[in-house]
Amino acid sequence: MEHITLLIAIVIVTALAFDFTNGFHDTANAMATTISTGAMKPKAAVAMSAVLNLVGAFLSVEVARTISGGIIDESAGVQPEVIFAGLVGAILWNLLTWLAGLPSSSSHALFGGLIGATIASVGLDAIHGDAVVMKVIVPALVAPLVAGFAAMAATRLTYRVARNTDERATSKGYRAGQIGSAALVSLAHGTNDAQKTMGVMTLALIAGGVLAPDSDPPMWVIASAGIAIALGTYLGGWRIIRTLGKGITDIQPPQGFAAQTSAATTILASSHMGFALSTTQVCSGAVMGCGLGRKGGVVHWSTARRMVVAWGLTLPAAGIIGALGALLAEQGTWGVGAVLALLIAGSIAIYVRSRKEPVDHSNVNDVNGVNDVNGVNDAQPAEAAPAESGPEPAPVPLQVTITRTAPAGRAGEEPSVPDQPTTTV
């Protein structure tokens, strides 16, 4: 029993570590457009998002129930070390995509890790396939499209309504609206994503016999998950904020407001119905939609393609890491220790690599090394360098000659010619 208790503690700590990575990985969902348009300063934006993530964690447990009792069969004999291995797969994939600056889905990393570890340990029968399809895969395909079309329509409507108004005045109003909509997205993110960690922690407690099957998350689980995701959010996932705010399209304040409002509505509706969708995919779809909705707007499809590829790889990649971790963790205490050591070593290696090209609140809006807020290049033009064509020649003096004509002399005399003075300037 002592071994099980220690193992459950390790699982819970690892789950909170995943929640922390989820926070800084997904901060961009709420704050990328607000920061890129200059509606809020970067540090103030992530601080507000962190507080609202914490508040959102206490609003619902529907998604937590989906995780703890919907996808994995609690009665199939899933052990805590299997859940631990699934979390390791999710954390490592989150860190890898963060290093690449790709807004992939933390939710799908978690699902993939848990599904892969469970299949490797217990078998395919322990997975509720219908729940995976209806509550994970279908929302993953539908939600970004819904948010994208909603954002595109909202952007077109916004520009149509404001076409005869002063652009500067409306920009100020939309920036204020962005702050409100960003707050709503942050609240929705806490309501949806923090619950996923609650569900994993509850599943571990059920697997260890601490809680009865079908139990709701205890209050201490809810509070700790909310605090962990809030701390991660405050740290700020600056690499992904740069990609989402600047890499997909050049976002103006009306577009940012439309994108965030559409994303928040989609996320809150899905949380109410218990769909554990990816807030990353919803917000990314909304950003692409707002880019298409503005006349003359440009979507950088190369970045969008990289992002979509990362979405497609997330479930299987995290699943493979989780499966390998489960096979090792099942070898006993030394196996669990080995998986933990690999997690720590991998995390340190990724962090050290990230320090070679740091991105933080001071340069998050830089594009190609130039600060760019709301599409305006803030860099001062450099003075033209003098041409390097050898030594400068000496100045040529300007000579002005003044000639006086002498009067004609008598016959036979040589006319006298006075001196011709020369004035040099």
Side-chain angles (χ1 to χ4, degrees):
M1 183 66 182
E2 182 179 354
H3 170 71
I4 294 296
T5 302
L6 176 62
L7 186 56
I8 292 174
I10 292 174
V11 173
I12 289 174
V13 171
T14 309
L16 293 174
F18 165 76
D19 206 24
F20 181 81
T21 67
N22 190 352
F24 73 74
H25 194 279
D26 290 3
T27 307
N29 299 338
M31 290 300 169
T33 59
T34 304
I35 292 172
S36 68
T37 61
M40 290 187 73
K41 298 293 184 183
K43 293 295 287 184
V46 297
M48 183 185 78
S49 183
V51 172
L52 291 170
N53 266 256
L54 177 60
V55 173
F58 290 89
L59 298 184
S60 174
V61 293
E62 290 299 323
V63 175
R65 292 194 188 104
T66 298
I67 302 296
S68 63
I71 294 176
I72 296 174
D73 187 356
E74 298 171 346
S75 62
V78 176
Q79 297 300 311
E81 57 263 31
V82 176
I83 302 171
F84 168 66
L87 287 167
V88 169
I91 291 172
L92 289 177
W93 184 253
N94 259 4
L95 292 177
L96 285 170
T97 51
W98 164 77
L99 179 64
L102 291 175
S104 67
S105 170
S106 297
S107 306
H108 288 179
L110 177 59
F111 297 147
L114 289 176
I115 291 171
T118 301
I119 292 174
S121 176
V122 183
L124 193 59
D125 293 338
I127 304 298
H128 292 152
D130 55 344
V132 172
V133 171
M134 295 306 299
K135 293 202 171 186
V136 178
I137 296 178
V138 170
L141 297 175
V142 174
L145 296 176
V146 171
F149 281 115
M152 182 170 64
T155 300
R156 290 182 177 177
L157 178 62
T158 298
Y159 277 104
R160 183 177 294 273
V161 170
R163 65 182 182 275
N164 294 324
T165 58
D166 180 67
E167 184 176 349
R168 290 187 178 182
T170 56
S171 291
K172 291 181 180 179
Y174 283 122
R175 285 193 176 99
Q178 272 191 278
I179 296 174
S181 59
L184 193 59
V185 174
S186 298
L187 190 68
H189 182 251
T191 304
N192 198 284
D193 278 38
Q195 288 189 59
K196 294 161 188 171
T197 301
M198 297 177 206
V200 172
M201 294 168 69
T202 303
L203 181 62
L205 293 171
I206 293 172
V210 179
L211 292 178
D214 299 323
S215 296
D216 284 342
M219 181 54 67
W220 67 269
V221 169
I222 297 173
S224 59
I227 292 171
I229 199 170
L231 290 174
T233 299
Y234 182 71
L235 181 66
W238 304 111
R239 293 173 180 274
I240 301 176
I241 289 175
R242 175 186 284 182
T243 299
L244 201 56
K246 293 292 181 184
I248 298 176
T249 186
D250 181 22
I251 301 176
Q252 304 298 323
Q255 293 171 278
F257 174 71
Q260 289 175 316
T261 304
S262 303
T265 303
T266 305
I267 295 168
L268 289 173
S270 67
S271 297
H272 179 70
M273 294 183 288
F275 290 132
L277 55 73
S278 166
T279 55
T280 299
Q281 292 181 356
V282 170
C283 293
S284 301
V287 169
M288 284 189 278
C290 78
L292 295 171
R294 177 168 68 93
K295 186 177 180 180
V298 176
V299 174
H300 303 297
W301 292 111
S302 59
T303 303
R305 280 193 297 270
R306 289 175 58 230
M307 196 168 57
V308 172
V309 168
W311 293 354
L313 291 175
T314 295
L315 273 169
I320 291 172
I321 299 173
L324 295 175
L327 294 175
L328 183 57
E330 285 187 322
Q331 303 305 311
T333 303
W334 73 268
V336 173
V339 174
L340 182 60
L342 290 172
L343 171 63
I344 294 172
S347 301
I348 292 174
I350 292 171
Y351 175 77
V352 170
R353 176 63 182 82
S354 73
R355 291 295 85 198
K356 294 183 178 180
E357 297 176 4
V359 180
D360 56 27
H361 67 279
S362 64
N363 63 355
V364 67
N365 281 321
D366 289 5
V367 179
N368 296 325
V370 176
N371 188 264
D372 181 53
V373 177
N374 194 21
V376 178
N377 189 334
D378 290 337
Q380 296 297 323
E383 294 182 2
E388 298 182 1
S389 55
E392 184 177 342
V396 178
L398 175 63
Q399 295 183 345
V400 180
T401 302
I402 304 173
T403 303
R404 294 190 179 93
T405 303
R410 292 188 297 268
E413 289 183 324
E414 288 290 328
S416 62
V417 179
D419 295 333
Q420 299 178 353
T422 301
T423 303
T424 302
V425 181

